[in-house]
Amino acid sequence: MTVAKTSVLVLDCAEPLELAEFYAALLGAEIHRGDDPDFVEIIGHRGVHLAIRRDLGHAPPSWPRPEDSLQSHLRILVGRDDLDEAEREVVGLGARPVETGERGGPREVRRYSDPAGHSFSLAVSPAPVTAPPSPDHR
């Protein structure tokens, strides 16, 4: 028997409730607080599930500078026609655009840091892949 599993991306920061409020507003999710004041979960629609954990020694990565590698980042998918509006929303909530030096081509991915310095991006949601008809399908 296989045990049912789910996963949660946990972000470390100095002020978990403040960061949870940022992501809850951005993702249209709810904040769930348990007995541990240093651990907050954000749960929303369509499988959104993040957690924020207090780490008083947290230092955000320096990405995209080469001194530190990108440890992980959250990619938030939006419709192609909604990308500009989503960008206004994240900046209005306190995110900071991250300059990556990429200048060519359409900007289907835009990078930011959240109020605690974690990297995330807004990206155009890929079109659903449709399988070719089966040879037996007539």
Side-chain angles (χ1 to χ4, degrees), residues 55-104:
D55 176 359
L56 296 176
H58 172 72
S62 65
W63 178 82
R65 296 188 313 264
E67 298 88 63
D68 289 332
S69 66
L70 174 63
Q71 298 163 6
S72 66
H73 76 280
L74 181 63
R75 179 171 275 208
I76 300 169
L77 303 175
V78 298
R80 182 173 306 281
D81 295 338
D82 297 327
L83 191 55
D84 290 336
E85 180 63 27
E87 180 168 54
R88 286 188 288 275
E89 183 180 355
V90 300
V91 170
L93 289 169
R96 295 175 303 280
V98 173
E99 180 57 50
T100 62
E102 296 175 11
R103 299 262 188 242

Side-chain angles (χ1 to χ4, degrees), residues 10-17 33-40 51-56:
V10 179
L11 300 175
D12 292 346
C13 71
E15 297 299 331
L17 188 55
R33 298 181 74 177
D35 294 334
D36 184 349
D38 293 334
F39 191 85
V40 182
I52 313 294
R53 183 185 71 91
R54 184 181 315 275
D55 176 359
L56 296 176

Side-chain angles (χ1 to χ4, degrees), residues 1-5:
M1 179 172 124
T2 302
V3 174
K5 298 171 185 72

